[in-house]
Amino acid sequence: MIKHIVAMNDSRAIGVNNKLPWHLPEDLQLFREETLGRTIYMGTNTFKSILAYSKNGSILPGRHIRVISSSPAKVQTLIDEYGIYPNVDYWTKPMLDILIKSHPSLEVLIVGGAQLYAAYPPDEVLATRVHINIEGA
């Protein structure tokens, strides 16, 4: 089962320049509650955007992060540049395809970005609607 967790505005924008264009504590709390203790899947750009928020070599503590990338070397370069994160690994899209096919009842939590959302249509969506206009989105 594929579940998308997303915050978007009324035009369905989810970010600008690989950054969240809003800060909503209640949405961040919901994200935390839904993902804590779980494995989450994200694209390379989403991973890059959250690296800016890492503190003391920790990124989204309490979760296992799988970065889905067509270029694992690119992800490894990011990990090398920003530091080793024991809760992060990277997969290619075919690896995720195999997981989904071999374990259809497994809940796969996709948390961004747009390419990953498009590649894996959801069975369920947990969406926060943000009622603001975003320039550049």
Side-chain angles (χ1 to χ4, degrees):
M1 182 180 106
I2 298 172
K3 181 176 185 178
H4 291 184
I5 300 176
V6 61
M8 67 179 98
N9 76 349
D10 293 330
S11 335
R12 300 180 64 88
I14 60 173
V16 175
N17 300 321
N18 292 324
K19 293 181 181 168
L20 279 177
W22 48 71
H23 178 80
L24 301 171
E26 59 276 0
D27 180 57
L28 296 173
Q29 181 62 32
L30 178 65
F31 180 86
R32 183 179 195 283
E33 290 169 4
E34 287 290 324
T35 62
L36 200 60
R38 316 270 306 271
T39 298
I40 57 176
Y41 299 82
M42 66 182 66
T44 307
N45 287 336
T46 301
F47 179 63
K48 278 199 293 193
S49 73
I50 64 172
L51 281 172
Y53 300 101
S54 68
K55 296 177 182 166
N56 305 320
S58 177
I59 185 168
L60 295 176
R63 300 151 187 93
H64 185 86
I65 299 167
R66 289 211 166 114
V67 182
I68 308 301
S69 177
S70 57
S71 175
K74 185 177 176 183
V75 178
Q76 188 60 53
T77 299
L78 287 170
I79 291 171
D80 292 344
E81 181 179 336
Y82 287 91
I84 304 289
Y85 297 95
N87 65 325
V88 176
D89 63 19
Y90 50 86
W91 283 19
T92 60
K93 189 175 175 295
M95 292 167 72
L96 182 55
D97 293 340
I98 290 169
L99 176 73
I100 291 168
K101 286 179 184 165
S102 61
H103 300 283
S105 63
L106 178 70
E107 187 174 65
V108 175
L109 298 176
I110 295 178
V111 299
Q115 291 178 3
L116 217 52
Y117 289 140
Y120 295 95
D123 298 300
E124 183 181 340
V125 177
L126 178 60
T128 298
R129 285 293 182 149
V130 182
H131 302 289
I132 63 169
N133 290 324
I134 303 168
E135 205 161 311

